[in-house]
Amino acid sequence: MLAAGLALAPLGAPVFAQDGGGAVSQIVTIDRQSLFSDTQYGRRVVETVESERVRLANETRMVEAELVEEERQLTERRDTMTPEDFRELAKAFDAKVQALRSEGAAREQEFVQTLEREQAAFFERIGPILGKLVRELGAVVILDRRAILLTTQNIDITRKAVDRIDQVLGDGSDLPDAAPSSNQDSDQGDQPAVPTPPADAPALQSIVPDTDAPASAN
């Protein structure tokens, strides 16, 4: 669902004017994604998640470097070992590589889930704020800006909403973890989609020999 209406005032509410002086209809629009990305609250959340992602990525690169060195040493020792001994060590090494890849994918999924939870809490919190703002402006319906194909008036209030959210919530760092539940004066549209970036798997190759192929001492 691209847009949701929010009834806030009687249908006879007057048309209001933007700061620039242009008349605006009783229907106003917002850019939902910008409400998150342009507010102090949203920027803090994104910066926190990205900072943790970078920290863990650096740790992963250090582990990858250690595994690359371990792989090199194991390959050099191959000629001094029996095929059976080499196969056991190679399997253990491969298990480390697979564990690192699985851990990286799990961490990336955690980042995405954290961002989704924070966005959901954000939109829960701003419902009453948007409701009060729109009543002040004399509008009766909020629509997602993406649902509007063409308009002859400037009816977007995203910037006003961002300023008001910053004024009321700040960056959100001092707010309780649980967002207040409110079914009144809230924007009930679908939550914005959060792209899931692909997890970067370590650039390590398995050196476990094919058990179906004859073992070689070379």
Side-chain angles (χ1 to χ4, degrees), residues 8-18 21-29 133-143 148 150-157:
L8 298 172
L11 292 178
V15 171
F16 66 90
Q18 291 272 58
V24 181
S25 72
Q26 295 172 341
I27 296 176
V28 295
T29 65
L133 173 62
V134 173
R135 282 197 304 271
E136 291 174 3
L137 296 174
V140 295
V141 175
I142 299 178
L143 297 178
I148 305 299
L150 177 65
T151 178
T152 59
Q153 301 181 56
N154 176 19
I155 60 175
D156 185 81
I157 63 166

Side-chain angles (χ1 to χ4, degrees), residues 1 78 114 124 129 149 202 205 211:
M1 188 171 78
R78 183 170 185 173
T114 296
E124 182 79 7
I129 300 173
L149 181 62
Q205 301 296 325
T211 55

Side-chain angles (χ1 to χ4, degrees), residues 12-197:
V15 171
F16 66 90
Q18 291 272 58
D19 293 340
V24 181
S25 72
Q26 295 172 341
I27 296 176
V28 295
T29 65
I30 56 172
D31 183 333
R32 288 177 58 84
Q33 186 57 42
S34 291
L35 287 184
F36 187 74
S37 62
D38 292 351
T39 53
Q40 297 173 22
Y41 189 120
R43 289 197 298 269
R44 174 188 59 83
V45 169
V46 172
E47 289 171 1
T48 299
V49 171
E50 287 302 316
S51 177
E52 181 65 8
R53 177 183 273 132
V54 169
R55 184 185 70 80
L56 292 177
N58 290 336
E59 290 183 0
T60 298
R61 280 193 289 270
M62 292 176 62
V63 175
E64 287 180 18
E66 293 173 357
L67 288 176
V68 168
E69 177 60 19
E70 182 178 343
E71 180 184 32
R72 184 189 65 78
Q73 294 178 3
L74 185 58
T75 302
E76 290 179 351
R77 293 173 55 194
R78 183 170 185 173
D79 291 341
T80 66
M81 304 168 63
T82 65
E84 292 76 13
D85 289 342
F86 176 80
R87 184 175 293 111
E88 288 301 316
L89 291 177
K91 284 182 178 179
F93 174 82
D94 188 60
K96 291 181 182 179
V97 172
Q98 297 304 323
L100 182 63
R101 288 174 173 168
S102 297
E103 183 180 356
R107 284 176 170 178
E108 186 61 34
Q109 186 60 32
E110 288 178 3
F111 291 137
V112 173
Q113 292 172 351
T114 296
L115 189 56
E116 288 175 339
R117 286 194 303 269
E118 292 287 352
Q119 283 186 316
F122 170 78
F123 284 106
E124 182 79 7
R125 292 184 191 279
I126 69 172
I129 300 173
L130 292 179
K132 183 177 180 180
L133 173 62
V134 173
R135 282 197 304 271
E136 291 174 3
L137 296 174
V140 295
V141 175
I142 299 178
L143 297 178
D144 190 315
R145 190 169 67 184
R146 292 171 297 178
I148 305 299
L149 181 62
L150 177 65
T151 178
T152 59
Q153 301 181 56
N154 176 19
I155 60 175
D156 185 81
I157 63 166
T158 302
R159 186 65 256 171
K160 287 179 177 291
V162 168
D163 291 342
R164 181 64 63 87
I165 292 167
D166 284 347
Q167 178 183 355
V168 177
L169 299 182
D171 69 0
S173 59
D174 58 348
L175 297 175
D177 291 338
S181 178
S182 173
N183 294 323
Q184 183 178 7
D185 298 341
S186 61
D187 181 4
Q188 299 294 332
D190 294 337
Q191 295 293 346
V194 181
T196 304

